[in-house]
Amino acid sequence: SFSPKGMYGSWAIAAVITLVGIIAAMLIPLPAVFIAASIAVPIIWIVLVGQYLTLRWGVAYKLTNQRFLHEQGLLRRVHNRILLIDIEDVTFVQGLMDRMFNVGTITLTSTDVSDGKLVMRGIDNVERVANLIDDARREERRKRAIILQQHDHPSSSS
């Protein structure tokens, strides 16, 4: 699921904006500055907390030996499955802050009609998780290739 570490950069920026707002309200004796800071700072934090709760409680992932399952939504839950054999590519991206906290974004590209491209943000231990998905995908393809080979070349019995 989404890791809180995925938002450390956003929270740091919000903290800086909060400090700037408080300092500006104290140093500039204009009612407009005080009102702007009093409105902007709480809105920024409400949006960030809402985003965090939505990502943390509203998104879940599960990897089995044949499928990648993901659920989305808080009030209305959408469950979707991607067969591992349908996953074409697994990539991950890490920005500077992501690398510092070992989180990142994984993108699955698949032939699945409902989820041709699934983007998973804020994944902790991103490289390990991406490798787990890719290894499971390759293993499932290997198993299916063996099964298809056995069906294409039945052993002859006398």
Side-chain angles (χ1 to χ4, degrees):
S1 66
F2 181 81
S3 172
K5 293 191 289 185
M7 289 189 69
Y8 282 179
S10 300
W11 290 339
I13 291 169
V16 169
I17 291 170
T18 300
L19 287 174
V20 168
I22 291 169
I23 292 169
M26 290 171 45
L27 296 178
I28 303 170
L30 296 174
V33 174
F34 178 78
I35 292 170
S38 297
I39 292 172
V41 169
I43 287 175
I44 289 169
W45 285 102
I46 289 169
V47 168
L48 283 177
V49 168
Q51 182 182 20
Y52 168 73
L53 294 176
T54 300
L55 290 169
R56 185 68 177 173
W57 294 341
V59 180
Y61 308 107
K62 183 177 181 182
L63 179 64
T64 71
N65 61 351
Q66 293 182 345
R67 292 181 181 91
F68 184 83
L69 312 165
H70 62 100
E71 301 174 2
Q72 251 181 300
L74 288 172
L75 301 176
R76 179 178 162 262
R77 209 66 169 159
V78 176
H79 301 265
N80 210 336
R81 297 166 183 85
I82 301 173
L83 292 175
L84 291 179
I85 196 146
D86 290 339
I87 296 174
E88 294 292 323
D89 191 32
V90 180
T91 59
F92 70 93
V93 176
Q94 289 181 296
L96 178 62
M97 290 291 283
D98 293 337
R99 286 196 318 257
M100 287 173 42
F101 297 108
N102 195 25
V103 296
T105 300
I106 297 175
T107 302
L108 300 182
T109 307
S110 75
T111 57
D112 187 280
V113 176
S114 61
D115 274 314
K117 190 173 191 177
L118 175 64
V119 179
M120 301 176 287
R121 293 183 43 218
I123 304 299
D124 201 8
N125 295 313
V126 67
E127 184 174 7
R128 185 180 69 79
V129 172
N131 286 337
L132 283 172
I133 296 168
D134 195 44
D135 291 347
R137 174 189 70 92
R138 285 184 291 132
E139 180 64 19
E140 181 63 13
R141 285 180 174 217
R142 187 189 64 75
K143 283 180 192 174
R144 299 255 181 138
I146 290 171
I147 291 170
L148 287 174
Q149 246 179 5
Q150 289 174 349
H151 287 294
D152 288 345
H153 305 288
S155 60
S156 59
S157 56
S158 3

